[in-house]
Amino acid sequence: MLGPFLVLTASAGAGLPLGAARASAQEAPVDAPAEVRVRPGWDETQPQPFRPTLTFTLSRPLTAGDGRLAVVLDAIDLSALLVQRGTMVTLSLAREALPDGPMSVAVYLVGTDGAWRERGTFALRRRTRVGLDSTGWQPRLAAQSEGQLAQTGVAPGPGARPLPFQDLAWNGGLSGIARRGGWRAEWQSLVVANARQPLRLRTNQLGAEAPSVDLASYSVQLAHRRGALTAGHVQVGNDRLLANQFRSRGLSARAPLGQRAEVTMASVSGSELVGWNDPLGLARPSHRLQVASVALEALPKQPGLLRAELTAMDGSLQPLPAFSQQAVTDRERSRGLGASLSAALPSQRARLALGLARSRFTNPVDPLLSGTAAIVAVEETARWAQFAELSVEALRQRALFGVVTSLQLAARHQRTDPLYRSVAAFLQADQKQDALDATAAFGPVQWQGSVSQGRDNLAKLANLLTTRSRTRSTSATVPVATVFGRPTAWWLPTVTASWQGSGQIGDPPPDSAGFRSPVQRPDQWNTNGMLSAAWQREWLQVAWRLNRSVVDNRQERRASSDFRSMVQAITISAAPSPKWSLGLDLSDERQHAVETQTHAHSRRVALQGDWRPFTSTALNGAWSTILSDDRAATRRGRNDEFRAELSQVLRLRRSPTAPELRVFARVARTRMFMRLGDLLERTTPQRNFSAGASARIF
């Protein structure tokens, strides 16, 4: 878009009496030339070539009495390069050494008297030297070193590392973005290194062959408006029943289908990969997931009001656990189809989500697990899963009895058939769950409540136990000072109360089920209640908490196998100065086993502090002691712990992004006493001295 003509002139007769102004206007010559106006020949909002040729259009040709044109780019006078033909002025920058980044172009009219009069200032956005509209990148490199200097009170065991030692590790990466027209490219990477073999990234997979420098993650994305192609670590699938945000290494593509729909396709490895091998994660066709989905927005101008999505998934897994997982896995294969629908009112006061999926799953025979044993092959099964969620904002900031009130209600339902399994979603099969939730606000008072129930053995098999679960919970927060209209009254606390009950009970099994003892049928109800109060001033915080929990076992022959516990705690935190702070924790815990009539009592005192004498220097420490005993005084114990750390940060310059080095030294001491009857056991105090450093290079 071409900008308007710009002219900067003084108002005629400014500062003169009205009559004088009229006289001046009458005396002005009728054929006086109009002011020269200048219009740029480029769109100021769009990037131009790195060394462009600028053109200007004058409102009229210059005369000898007008003087000459002058053009200044930032602080560079390029008037000598101007070429004027009538009302067209050209400025070629093809051979000029210009700095990177946007520039300001100022046009002046230099009169015959030598005065410079500005005719306009225009913005000049340029592409980079390689032809991109914009680009930015950010490297990261950090190193850490931590080790133990000395240790006392502990006899070194077999294979213990000799002291002192230091473990060196570092991590770094590169992230960036580049734009050209409607295209955008983004990339990020993370590389980690560790000098010690047991701490390397792929030690669980490769053992001693794990490389010391390894690729932890990377992704590269090329996008154009609503479409995108991504390689590297991606998350695929938006269907919670079939393929739910499965993260792995692979390829993902998204493309629009008109204004209302878009299609997404992805192919990724069956487990999360790290390392330099298999950069696209597609080297093993038998260990791969393929997901495709089509989403339709019925109202594209109001996305989210009515959206439907269809997902298809085909996956095959080999017994290859993820790099951080230590497990013996089995071969699995599943494929399925899922559909979901979400709708909402324009005001978002009511929202609905529905989902349905069917998955066909099988366990192919794995010779590495079965060996020579004769096993019964697993039959391929196809099962259903479904969910429904409805939330309604019944009241939104409505006055109720003179109090601003909000109320939100929600209902949830989910069912997974027996033997339902999808390799790209982690759901528990043979489960049905229903729940009701409520959230309310009465002025400053907040309240939440929830009721849920569930069951298993949906096929009602006689040889399986049917277990029913239920949960009830409620909580409320009352800022007493605000309720009574005294927001500055710090001595009035904020009170929070909560209660939760959960239990399981098994249906009476039939005689043919093979359950030999009533103890095999679960029947338990657990409750947990909490009451707390908190006071806060500018530099002081005080909190008190009371917690009581009960495990009520209602099984036949074990009705007295109950447990009760109660905990009281007080926390005091003070920070009267930005340079130092203190904290004190006091707690008292009592436990009672009803069946054995045993009692346990423990008391804890902890003190922690932080002192910063200088901006880059910190000293912090903590001390705690725990006293434990039972009512019969046959067991008493005491455990003391102390730790302290001194750290110093060194910076090359005062900037948040400047390289910095942090060095620290730590000392820790533990001591334990235990008395069993008349026998006193005392352990040798253990002391540990360690030190290390961490550096952020960029």
Side-chain angles (χ1 to χ4, degrees), residues 453-622:
Q453 64 181 17
R455 60 159 295 175
D456 58 10
N457 192 17
L458 302 183
K460 300 180 181 180
L461 300 179
N463 59 340
L464 290 181
L465 182 67
T466 300
T467 304
R468 302 179 185 272
S469 61
R470 61 194 189 280
T471 302
R472 311 287 186 267
S473 65
T474 182
S475 64
T477 301
V478 182
V480 180
T482 307
V483 169
F484 287 96
R486 303 284 301 278
T488 59
W490 65 270
W491 59 89
L492 296 178
T494 297
V495 179
T496 301
S498 65
W499 177 87
Q500 182 179 25
S502 61
Q504 282 189 336
I505 184 171
D507 288 351
D511 296 337
S512 60
F515 293 93
R516 296 180 297 274
S517 172
V519 178
Q520 294 177 310
R521 177 193 172 198
D523 189 359
Q524 189 177 97
W525 179 252
N526 304 328
T527 60
N528 184 35
M530 189 270 292
L531 178 66
S532 67
W535 297 262
Q536 182 172 354
R537 294 199 69 179
E538 293 81 1
W539 57 272
L540 179 64
Q541 294 180 353
V542 180
W544 168 83
R545 175 175 59 90
L546 173 65
N547 183 275
R548 186 177 186 272
S549 61
V550 176
V551 178
D552 184 6
N553 197 332
R554 301 175 180 180
Q555 288 178 297
E556 187 177 349
R557 302 180 186 177
R558 297 199 61 191
S560 61
S561 299
D562 299 342
F563 297 89
R564 299 187 179 96
S565 66
M566 179 178 291
V567 179
Q568 290 192 74
I570 296 177
T571 301
I572 302 174
S573 302
S577 169
K579 291 189 175 182
W580 63 277
S581 63
L582 289 174
L584 175 64
D585 293 332
L586 304 173
S587 66
D588 184 278
E589 181 177 357
R590 299 174 184 270
Q591 296 181 346
H592 177 208
V594 178
E595 187 175 29
T596 59
Q597 285 300 308
T598 57
H599 299 263
H601 183 200
S602 64
R603 290 154 291 176
R604 180 177 181 269
V605 179
L607 180 66
Q608 54 269 354
D610 181 84
W611 180 40
R612 296 181 178 272
F614 308 104
T615 304
S616 302
T617 306
L619 174 63
N620 59 74

Side-chain angles (χ1 to χ4, degrees), residues 309-530:
E309 189 166 352
L310 185 66
T311 302
M313 191 278 301
D314 186 1
S316 176
L317 303 185
Q318 293 292 324
L320 299 173
F323 73 98
S324 61
Q325 182 183 12
Q326 291 182 327
V328 178
T329 57
D330 196 3
R331 292 180 61 193
E332 296 177 310
R333 178 177 177 82
S334 72
R335 59 186 184 276
L337 190 66
S340 62
L341 175 69
S342 61
L345 294 178
S347 62
Q348 299 294 315
R349 295 190 61 171
R351 295 180 295 273
L352 174 67
L354 303 173
L356 180 66
R358 183 171 177 83
S359 177
R360 184 176 295 274
F361 174 80
T362 185
N363 273 119
V365 176
D366 189 350
L368 295 178
L369 290 180
S370 60
T372 58
I375 61 174
V376 178
V378 177
E379 295 183 2
E380 186 176 79
T381 57
R383 294 293 186 266
W384 293 92
Q386 63 188 32
F387 79 89
E389 293 180 351
L390 174 64
S391 64
V392 177
E393 198 170 355
L395 297 174
R396 176 186 285 182
Q397 299 294 312
R398 295 290 300 273
L400 188 64
F401 303 108
V403 179
V404 178
T405 304
S406 299
L407 175 63
Q408 183 172 345
L409 305 174
R412 296 177 285 115
H413 164 78
Q414 181 168 305
R415 174 192 169 101
T416 54
D417 284 349
L419 302 180
Y420 179 87
R421 175 83 168 96
S422 172
V423 296
F426 305 98
L427 296 175
Q428 187 174 357
D430 198 14
Q431 292 287 324
K432 178 184 176 183
Q433 295 286 336
D434 299 291
L436 295 174
D437 302 320
T439 303
F442 306 95
V445 179
Q446 305 290 325
W447 174 82
Q448 290 182 340
S450 176
V451 177
S452 66
Q453 64 181 17
R455 60 159 295 175
D456 58 10
N457 192 17
L458 302 183
K460 300 180 181 180
L461 300 179
N463 59 340
L464 290 181
L465 182 67
T466 300
T467 304
R468 302 179 185 272
S469 61
R470 61 194 189 280
T471 302
R472 311 287 186 267
S473 65
T474 182
S475 64
T477 301
V478 182
V480 180
T482 307
V483 169
F484 287 96
R486 303 284 301 278
T488 59
W490 65 270
W491 59 89
L492 296 178
T494 297
V495 179
T496 301
S498 65
W499 177 87
Q500 182 179 25
S502 61
Q504 282 189 336
I505 184 171
D507 288 351
D511 296 337
S512 60
F515 293 93
R516 296 180 297 274
S517 172
V519 178
Q520 294 177 310
R521 177 193 172 198
D523 189 359
Q524 189 177 97
W525 179 252
N526 304 328
T527 60
N528 184 35
M530 189 270 292

Side-chain angles (χ1 to χ4, degrees), residues 60 135 249 383 476:
R60 63 173 177 81
T135 183
R249 185 183 290 182
R383 294 293 186 266

Side-chain angles (χ1 to χ4, degrees), residues 73-87:
L73 268 71
D74 287 348
I76 307 173
D77 187 357
L78 300 176
S79 305
L81 302 179
L82 293 176
V83 178
Q84 182 178 351
R85 293 182 178 88
T87 59

Side-chain angles (χ1 to χ4, degrees), residues 189-200:
S189 62
L190 176 63
V191 177
V192 298
N194 204 298
R196 190 182 177 195
Q197 188 272 330
L199 302 179
R200 293 173 183 172

